[in-house]
Amino acid sequence: MRYVYGLSTALLLGGAAVSLTTGYPAGAQVAQNDETEMARVVPRAGAPESFADLTAQLQPAVVNIATRQRVEVQANNPFAGTPFADMFQRRQPQPTEPQTREAQSLGSGFIISADGYVVTNNHVVSPPGDNGGGRGPRITLEEITVTMPDGTEYEAELVGADAASDLAVLKIQSNKTFPFVEFGDSNEARVGDWVIAIGNPFGLGGTVTSGIVSAVLRTPPNGRGGAYERYIQTDASINRGNSGGPLFDMKGNVIGINNAIFSPSGGNVGIGFAIPSDIAAPIVEKLRAGEEIQRGFLGVNIAPVDDDMADALGLPRNRGEIVQFVREGDAADKAGIKAGDIVTRIDGKQVTRDETLSFIVANIEPGTRVPIDLIRDGRRMTVNATIGKRPSAEELMQQQTFDPDAEEEQVPEEAGGVVEEKVGLAVLELTEDIARQLGVSEDTQGVVIAGVDRNADAARKGLNRGDIILEVQYNPVSSIATLEQAILAAEAEGRKVVLLTVRPRRSANPVYVAVRLR
């Protein structure tokens, strides 16, 4: 069962490593130039001839993490609503009894204290499921095993986890004293700096790879612009199973936590992403102390200022974001911010494509009063706002708007969730607000398609954004969870195709579409 893959790129659970080598000494191509020119291209002190000594010091603190989960899937009658329903009832005396199976995940982590606190990714220990959120199978974490480089195994408990930043803290159940590593300052990382990654790709524990920092504060392709989607990009070879492992600088400090890769093939292509330590360290400390992770919230929908808008308003390019919508009663509304305002600076920080408004606000403590510079009708002005507390993911889901004419979201082949993984569809709950936007009755039951993977059979069968899935295998779809459960039940029965009843966006007449599972 694969419930553990899928960030907006490919999360790294569960890849063969390729080490980085160079065939020529630094500065060789300017060997004929004068000594002054030569000095400018020779790497600064600390560029290693070998990573062996540094690895020997760091590797003892890097661990492999294995989990065991119990996956509970509600059984469904695939013939419900058909003349064959009673036949199925007779053959299956208790068709609604949940089916239980085991699942496992593998990842990496690193020890940050002598008493055995371990940092890893949340998705290593908490794969997505319906643990009270109404999304997918119910998954119960039953066991976490931490394996040291010498092969010694320890049980560990989950101390705290934060899905938004994809971070988790474990505690090894032992009174022993453990080797540990420390966080460094990721703000000091520069493009071109050497880094090494240590982890457990494809279960190959203790794998060490090297590379350079390719970019800082990178938003990955297919990213959703979340509060913590700012990564260090590296070409150090990382693959599935490297999730949660450390990215070290040449001083031996952790400057990143390996988290995701961008890869059309699913394997390493030299584009990996690590959560910067300056973002991770404060969250880790709060999780370790059992504190709640709170994030700032303004209550606005925003969009980047494109080049034409910047020219029209005389703004520097790649600066500012325009407010599309202001939620009544939230911080922005109380501060007097209006739709059409262009926010250029908040709390003294420029709003740019890398430092977006949502990124800056999410990292401000709720209750903090901050100045916001904006442009309204060509006039520059400043307002003061008291930052609110960001609602939960479930609350935001209920509040979201759905524009059926918006550019369709492309679903990556390895996106998370059963529906995305098995049929290549990104779906949303059909709320009353979305139903009104789609022009259907507010009491319509189903889920709405938000995006389609163009490589999936669903795309070949003509499914599009804005279509509503009403039934699967003739069973009504009342939520994403029921759709996921029906797909899993069909797969468990050996089916390779599921029959969907779909109401196309521009038609009142439902159609039946047989979609192949993948």
Side-chain angles (χ1 to χ4, degrees):
M1 300 293 295
R2 294 176 58 213
Y3 299 109
V4 289
Y5 304 133
L7 213 79
S8 50
T9 50
L11 290 174
L12 306 172
L13 281 167
V18 180
S19 59
L20 177 68
T21 60
T22 56
Y24 302 96
Q29 67 258 39
V30 293
Q32 296 178 356
N33 295 348
D34 60 35
E35 293 182 1
T36 302
E37 181 69 18
M38 188 75 166
R40 285 202 295 266
V41 298
V42 171
R44 62 181 177 177
E49 293 183 0
S50 170
F51 298 100
D53 291 340
L54 188 59
T55 298
Q57 296 173 28
L58 302 174
Q59 201 167 34
V62 181
V63 299
N64 301 336
I65 297 173
T67 70
R68 182 167 56 86
Q69 306 113 25
R70 184 175 72 252
V71 182
E72 188 176 289
V73 181
Q74 188 69 37
N76 285 311
N77 182 347
F79 301 105
T82 76
F84 304 102
D86 291 339
M87 181 189 305
F88 185 84
Q89 293 277 7
R90 288 193 294 271
R91 294 191 177 189
Q92 304 288 335
Q94 294 180 314
T96 58
E97 276 296 309
Q99 301 174 356
T100 301
R101 64 199 72 178
E102 281 196 355
Q104 295 179 332
S105 68
L106 293 173
S108 306
F110 54 97
I111 304 173
I112 59 169
S113 64
D115 54 350
Y117 280 92
V118 177
V119 175
T120 187
N121 284 150
N122 175 64
H123 72 265
V124 171
V125 294
S126 301
D130 169 19
N131 295 303
R135 294 293 307 270
R138 180 174 296 277
I139 300 177
T140 303
L141 181 64
E142 293 197 324
E143 183 179 71
I144 304 175
T145 302
V146 171
T147 304
M148 303 295 292
D150 64 3
T152 305
E153 295 184 351
Y154 297 95
E155 289 188 8
E157 67 173 356
L158 180 63
V159 174
D162 179 50
S165 59
D166 199 16
L167 294 169
V169 175
L170 315 176
K171 176 66 171 66
I172 298 174
Q173 300 300 289
S174 172
N175 294 324
K176 289 186 62 176
T177 298
F178 295 94
F180 64 93
V181 291
E182 297 179 339
F183 284 111
D185 185 355
S186 59
N187 283 328
E188 294 183 355
R190 303 188 308 165
V191 174
D193 279 350
W194 282 105
V195 288
I196 62 173
I198 306 179
N200 183 36
F202 296 119
L204 301 173
T207 294
V208 183
T209 57
S210 67
I212 61 169
V213 173
S214 304
V216 295
L217 288 181
R218 175 76 82 198
T219 300
N222 298 321
R224 303 179 187 276
Y228 292 99
E229 280 199 338
R230 300 299 181 277
Y231 299 98
I232 295 173
Q233 180 184 329
T234 178
D235 70 345
S237 183
I238 55 178
N239 291 278
R240 292 198 182 99
N242 275 111
S243 266
L247 187 72
F248 291 107
D249 64 15
M250 291 299 98
K251 298 177 183 177
N253 294 317
V254 179
I255 61 167
I257 302 172
N258 297 320
N259 181 259
I261 59 174
F262 178 73
S263 170
S265 65
N268 173 66
V269 294
I271 302 177
F273 302 101
I275 304 169
S277 60
D278 282 12
I279 290 177
I283 297 173
V284 166
E285 284 306 308
K286 287 186 176 182
L287 293 176
R288 183 174 170 181
E291 298 178 13
E292 180 185 3
I293 306 299
Q294 296 187 349
R295 296 178 174 84
F297 189 69
L298 265 183
V300 294
N301 289 356
I302 52 177
V305 173
D306 61 24
D307 291 344
D308 289 340
M309 188 181 297
D311 289 342
L313 298 173
L315 294 174
R317 298 192 175 197
N318 302 327
R319 295 289 187 275
E321 291 182 318
I322 186 168
V323 177
Q324 305 279 29
F325 174 78
V326 180
R327 284 184 23 162
E328 184 177 353
D330 279 334
D333 182 43
K334 293 177 181 178
I337 295 174
K338 300 178 179 180
D341 288 348
I342 296 174
V343 180
T344 58
R345 186 188 298 265
I346 180 168
D347 197 24
K349 300 179 177 67
Q350 288 274 6
V351 176
T352 68
R353 290 184 181 179
D354 289 331
E355 299 269 1
T356 63
L357 181 63
S358 60
F359 176 72
I360 297 172
V361 170
N363 289 281
I364 298 175
E365 191 75 20
T368 305
R369 191 167 177 80
V370 298
I372 300 176
D373 296 344
L374 52 86
I375 298 173
R376 178 182 297 167
D377 298 328
R379 295 181 296 110
R380 296 180 182 271
M381 57 189 299
T382 300
V383 300
N384 293 297
T386 301
I387 300 299
K389 179 182 175 182
R390 185 177 181 84
S392 67
E394 290 76 16
E395 291 170 330
L396 288 174
M397 179 70 73
Q398 293 300 319
Q399 298 162 357
Q400 70 181 323
T401 58
F402 180 81
D403 180 2
D405 294 315
E407 181 178 350
E408 181 166 326
E409 177 183 346
Q410 292 299 306
V411 182
E413 292 184 4
E414 301 201 17
V418 173
V419 182
E420 293 94 329
E421 180 183 350
K422 299 300 181 184
V423 294
L425 296 174
V427 292
L428 297 172
E429 301 285 358
L430 184 59
T431 64
E432 292 183 0
D433 287 340
I434 292 178
R436 284 195 296 269
Q437 293 164 42
L438 291 173
V440 301
S441 171
E442 293 179 12
D443 59 3
T444 301
Q445 284 198 341
V447 298
V448 61
I449 298 174
V452 182
D453 179 0
R454 290 303 163 192
N455 295 317
D457 188 55
R460 291 188 286 271
K461 297 297 175 59
L463 297 185
N464 291 293
R465 176 183 173 88
D467 294 349
I468 301 173
I469 300 176
L470 303 173
E471 298 176 337
V472 56
Q473 300 293 119
Y474 297 106
N475 291 317
V477 173
S478 59
S479 66
I480 294 174
T482 59
L483 175 59
E484 291 179 330
Q485 291 164 6
I487 291 172
L488 289 173
E491 185 180 52
E493 295 165 7
R495 298 178 185 273
K496 297 182 179 179
V497 181
V498 291
L499 182 65
L500 304 179
T501 307
V502 179
R503 175 172 176 160
R505 180 186 157 200
R506 291 182 173 85
S507 173
N509 299 317
V511 296
Y512 295 92
V513 182
V515 176
R516 298 192 68 82
L517 300 178
R518 59 181 188 177

